[in-house]
Amino acid sequence: MATPLRIVIAKPGLDGHDRGAKVVARALRDAGHEVIYTGLRRTPEQIVRTVIDEDAQFLGLSSLSGAHAHLFPKICKLLQESDVGHVIVFGGGIIPTADKPALFEAGIKAIFGPGTSSTQINDFISTAAAKDDAGCGAESDWHWGD
Amino acid sequence: MDIDKARAGSRLGLSQALSLVENGLAFSTEEEGQVIGITGAPGVGKSCLVDQLAQAYARNGEKVAILAVDPSSPISGGALLGDRLRMESADLDDLVYMRSVATRGETGAVPSVVADMAAVLKECGWKRIIIETVGSGQAEFRIAAVADTIILVEAPGMGDAIQSEKAGIIELVDIIVVNKSDLEGADATAANIISALSAGSKDIPVMQVSSHTGDGVTYLVQAIDEVADSGTSRAQWRERLASQWMRRMSHHPNLDSILDELESSQINIGEAILLLEVEQ
Ligand code: B12
Ligand SMILES: Nc1nc2c(ncn2[C@@H]2O[C@H](COP(=O)(O)OP(=O)(O)OP(=O)(O)O)[C@@H](O)[C@H]2O)c(=O)[nH]1
Ligand SMILES: [Mg+2]
């Protein structure tokens, strides 16, 4: 059997909506990945620490409270500063279309909104895993969807 | 393996070294350390107890590493590793390192790679290593293959504990913790266990702890240092052997093709075992 991907699913900030994150975590497990769920209310520093300790290749962030615009870029920056710019960062939740360009610019490679199916998320994961320039610190401006 | 970065104290280097070993690279070390195994049924509070212990060691200025095992799905091969949820100290304190481990292709509450992962941690200066097993029944004591000190966790209202003598397992346990001492029924649970143990020959401390309030944790930390190291028992050797046997199978390069041939009835079990025995 191929070595599973290790994926951290995290809830940054004070947002208490965790249904979506849990649905996504289970979908990724069912696709054969090892998913580490952090639980609610983690700081960017805690999330980056988790990614490092767990040697994860992917980090999925979930936010429904509106704090994504500030927290997602902060986490990408911390990852790069901590020498783990190879980690592929993606996210989901309630994220207005107008906010997406800035998140892509910051190094997030995909954003998924309400109603996303597990097939869509898994298509992204397998596509990104096959690329060598999908890390949050990569020069490339490739991202998934629009 | 380039372990120098990890030896020099890099967390990322340590994580990457652990991944290599988890993926099958063998590793052993001469460095000493204490491996503490935490086992017990699902939901008794193993993760919360590990978090309390880690905090206690960190407060004393001691480094402590945690390997927490959760089961992989035999169908998808994926795993939901949720122990971290209850271990917030792990991502706050530099003295604590926490790593989630999936059982991958192995049955049993502790996969065989964990012994080598513990060796990497010792090599890199982590002398206290806590291993949380998959939540398991009394029949499962693979933790004895790797731990020096074994703590069996029980909780009130979790059904009648300890059919110890019958299973011959109790000789492996060093301390029994009745967790959730803040709940009704903890005293009765502890009393039941003590009376069940009184028939046996081994003197095992039974301690009440609350992983919510922290009550009793200090005594547990003391007890962990006081239990005498009785050397490696026959039962322990048995678990080590079983663990290595399992490793040989689950990391065999031809395992997939052997399973394919079994599935399509090209070979039978006896032939499959012969194929596994071929040295690689
Ligand atoms: C259920 C719910 C709650 C529950 C949450 C229960 C729980 N434990 O999760 C409760 C009642 C507690 C709650 C409380 C609040 N809520 Co509320 N809540 C909702 C509601 C109705 C549904 C959310 C949900 O669970 N959806 C089901 C899951 C499966 O979908 P999902 O989370 O969207 O996830 C999917 C995708 O977004 C994506 N996804 C999500 N995360 C991730 C992560 C990754 C990595 C990936 C790949 C994909 C992904 O994939 C998932 C599967 O398709 C939404 C409205 C809505 N329609 O979204 C409001 C909503 C999110 N809540 C809102 C608000 C304001 C609140 C409150 C502040 C107060 C209030 N007015 O009710 C509190 C705050 C709570 C807190 N501490 O944060 C607002 C947020 C507004 C905003 N962001 O601008 C919303 C949008 C309602 C609204 N239209 O006003 N809420
Ligand atoms: N009242 C009380 N509840 C506790 C205590 N310790 C743990 N719990 C609760 O028991 C539940 C299970 O705790 P965990 O630490 O996840 O248990 P576990 O043994 O690690 O579970 P698995 O890893 O799933 O086998 C959680 O809801 C905890 O909050 C305690 O000392 N007192
Ligand atoms: Mg647990």
Side-chain angles (χ1 to χ4, degrees):
Chain A
M1 224 184 271
T3 306
L5 290 172
R6 292 174 65 83
I7 305 178
V8 170
I9 295 294
K11 288 284 313 174
L14 300 176
D15 177 18
H17 297 88
D18 60 358
R19 281 191 206 161
K22 286 177 174 166
V23 169
V24 170
R26 274 192 293 271
L28 292 170
R29 176 201 56 194
D30 293 342
H33 308 302
E34 291 179 359
V35 184
I36 297 106
Y37 177 51
T38 61
L40 288 170
R41 297 190 191 85
R42 294 312 202 250
T43 64
E45 288 77 11
Q46 286 178 303
I47 291 170
V48 170
R49 160 66 66 88
T50 300
V51 167
I52 292 172
D53 279 11
E54 299 286 356
D55 193 25
Q57 291 93 21
F58 281 82
L59 168 62
L61 301 168
S62 176
S63 170
L64 283 79
S65 69
H68 56 270
H70 166 61
L71 292 175
F72 287 15
K74 183 166 182 197
I75 291 166
C76 286
K77 185 162 167 276
L78 272 176
L79 287 168
Q80 290 167 31
E81 287 169 4
S82 311
D83 244 8
V84 282
H86 63 273
V87 173
I88 302 169
V89 186
F90 60 117
I94 304 289
I95 296 176
T97 311
D99 291 355
K100 289 188 186 177
L103 297 179
F104 291 142
E105 178 70 21
I108 311 281
K109 295 301 168 183
I111 299 287
F112 298 95
T116 304
S117 70
S118 37
T119 318
Q120 288 169 299
I121 299 173
N122 285 316
D123 282 349
F124 160 72
I125 298 279
S126 44
T127 305
K131 291 177 70 70
D132 54 13
D133 61 350
C136 65
E139 290 294 328
S140 135
D141 54 11
W142 174 83
H143 59 82
W144 185 257
D146 44 34
Chain B
M1 171 170 67
D2 177 21
I3 198 177
D4 291 342
K5 218 172 113 193
R7 263 207 215 95
S10 154
R11 281 181 97 96
L12 183 58
L14 175 62
S15 293
Q16 291 170 339
L18 286 171
S19 294
L20 284 174
V21 169
E22 186 176 26
N23 294 337
L25 186 80
F27 189 84
S28 59
T29 181
E30 298 293 308
E31 292 292 325
E32 307 263 312
Q34 183 188 29
V35 179
I36 304 163
I38 311 281
T39 189
V44 292
K46 297 180 293 297
S47 297
C48 291
L49 182 67
V50 169
D51 191 47
Q52 287 284 349
L53 285 173
Q55 286 183 43
Y57 287 126
R59 267 198 305 273
N60 291 343
E62 249 190 86
K63 282 164 73 174
V64 54
I66 303 162
L67 300 173
V69 187
D70 275 313
S72 299
S73 154
I75 299 157
S76 74
L80 203 50
L81 306 168
D83 291 316
R84 204 168 186 113
L85 209 80
R86 314 243 180 246
M87 298 185 188
E88 228 185 316
S89 63
D91 32 53
L92 289 170
D93 202 318
D94 283 343
L95 294 172
V96 184
Y97 178 89
M98 149 75 189
R99 174 73 172 234
S100 312
V101 182
T103 53
R104 300 209 172 158
E106 297 189 21
T107 56
V110 185
S112 54
V113 290
V114 163
D116 290 23
M117 293 175 83
V120 171
L121 287 163
K122 286 179 198 167
E123 177 77 21
C124 297
W126 298 80
K127 303 302 182 194
R128 288 262 191 204
I129 299 162
I130 306 181
I131 297 174
E132 176 184 342
T133 73
V134 170
S136 62
Q138 299 248 330
E140 166 46 74
F141 264 74
R142 189 57 48 79
I143 183 66
V146 40
D148 305 304
T149 306
I150 297 181
I151 302 176
L152 174 63
V153 187
E154 301 278 349
M158 300 291 298
D160 243 348
I162 309 288
Q163 293 156 352
S164 49
E165 294 310 310
K166 197 165 65 189
I169 260 162
I170 214 71
E171 78 170 285
L172 293 170
V173 174
D174 296 293
I175 299 171
I176 295 176
V177 164
V178 176
N179 188 36
K180 310 196 188 185
S181 66
D182 53 300
L183 296 183
E184 190 103 25
D187 287 338
T189 303
N192 279 343
I193 293 172
I194 290 167
S195 89
L197 288 176
S198 63
S201 55
K202 193 175 167 186
D203 194 17
I204 300 169
V206 178
M207 319 191 63
Q208 291 197 41
V209 171
S210 168
S211 302
H212 273 186
T213 66
D215 266 1
V217 173
T218 323
Y219 298 113
L220 177 59
V221 167
Q222 268 170 27
I224 288 173
D225 281 337
E226 280 161 12
V227 289
D229 184 1
S230 44
T232 308
S233 66
R234 185 182 183 82
Q236 236 168 329
W237 279 117
R238 194 186 170 287
E239 293 299 331
R240 284 192 193 176
L241 190 59
S243 178
Q244 286 311 307
W245 198 261
M246 176 62 92
R247 176 174 192 141
R248 191 161 163 184
M249 184 190 99
S250 59
H251 290 274
H252 198 283
N254 298 340
L255 179 62
D256 268 340
S257 66
I258 292 171
L259 287 172
D260 286 344
E261 288 175 36
L262 276 171
E263 202 180 5
S264 57
S265 310
Q266 292 174 48
I267 55 170
N268 61 31
I269 286 282
E271 287 160 341
I273 286 174
L274 289 179
L275 287 174
L276 284 176
E277 279 171 355
V278 174
E279 275 307 324
Q280 293 295 325

